[in-house]
Amino acid sequence: MGRWPLIANQTPGRSVLQPAGPRRRVIFWRHGRTSWNAAGRFQGQSDIPLDEVGASQASRAAALLAGKLGSAVSGGHPVQILSSDLSRAFSTAQELASLTGGPIQVDPRLRETFGGEWEGRTFDEIITSFPEQIKQWQRDEPGVRAGGGETRVEVAQRMVDAVLEGVSVLPDGGTLVVTTHGGATRVAMAKLLGLPEPLWRTLSGLSNCHWSVVEAAHSADSGPGVGHWRLLEHNVGTLPEPYESPEGLDQPVED
């Protein structure tokens, strides 16, 4: 009976982006840990900085991403960094920029979901105080507002608008690194890939300092928009800690 061949040295730490040719890529990269992440609090657009663990995560993940981007840079393909203006994301982006030498473009449309009354509360507190609303929000029901704040659909739209605007100025083979947030990334990617809203839950959120990669299905001349992308990698983490799921099935996907 035949066997599948073994491939040596195929560890996550050695992952590199293959030459993109005519295709542009977007790397969605979630920020490092904050004290509110550690405490299980809904951050939303509250500007909570990285904690000590998060700063260390950002430094190590940036080094891995810089190595991953090496083939693109050496091949003459530009890499641009676009970041949420919240400090936890911008500080994470700065770690990569310090290695790539490029500037950081800041766009507030890349913020996490505005969570209204939920911000600062633990997920357990939210489940206790808003049991029906949180169940609807977990199911990605379009009209449900997180704590009276934003809906999933509104977050996805502003995120996708910002990403497509950033991609529009990239030449063929360019890469856009979007340093942002876990819950916002999930719905933005789902919309960008053309998934209908009932299927948005098929994608998980991102763990701290993990990333996902999408690639345009066509060259820059075709101006790829929603539904013209394909998923290459999702929730990839090559940090030396054991993998941790970004959320339990009984909790909302938010960072």
Side-chain angles (χ1 to χ4, degrees), residues 9-30:
N9 295 326
Q10 295 300 302
T11 61
R14 298 177 64 87
S15 172
V16 296
L17 285 176
Q18 297 302 313
R23 298 187 176 95
R24 293 167 288 176
R25 289 195 173 114
V26 178
I27 299 178
F28 290 92
W29 185 28
R30 186 189 176 193

Side-chain angles (χ1 to χ4, degrees), residues 29 53 55-65 95 211 238-241:
W29 185 28
V53 170
S56 178
Q57 289 175 333
S59 176
R60 285 176 288 174
L64 291 163
L65 271 178
E95 293 291 337
W211 60 79
T238 53
L239 300 179
E241 293 85 1

Side-chain angles (χ1 to χ4, degrees), residues 26 28 139-140 152-161 163-164 180-206 212-215 225-235 253:
V26 178
F28 290 92
R139 293 194 294 264
D140 288 341
R152 299 285 198 194
V153 173
E154 290 169 342
V155 175
Q157 187 62 61
R158 63 170 166 79
M159 285 279 294
V160 168
D161 287 346
V163 170
L164 291 181
T180 182
H181 308 270
T185 288
R186 181 179 70 83
V187 295
M189 285 184 55
K191 182 175 179 64
L192 195 62
L193 293 169
L195 294 178
E197 290 165 14
L199 296 182
W200 284 8
R201 285 289 294 173
T202 60
L203 292 179
S204 69
L206 297 184
S212 295
V213 183
V214 297
E215 179 183 76
V226 171
H228 295 279
W229 296 82
R230 54 191 176 191
L231 181 63
L232 300 183
E233 303 178 13
H234 182 54
N235 201 28
V253 182

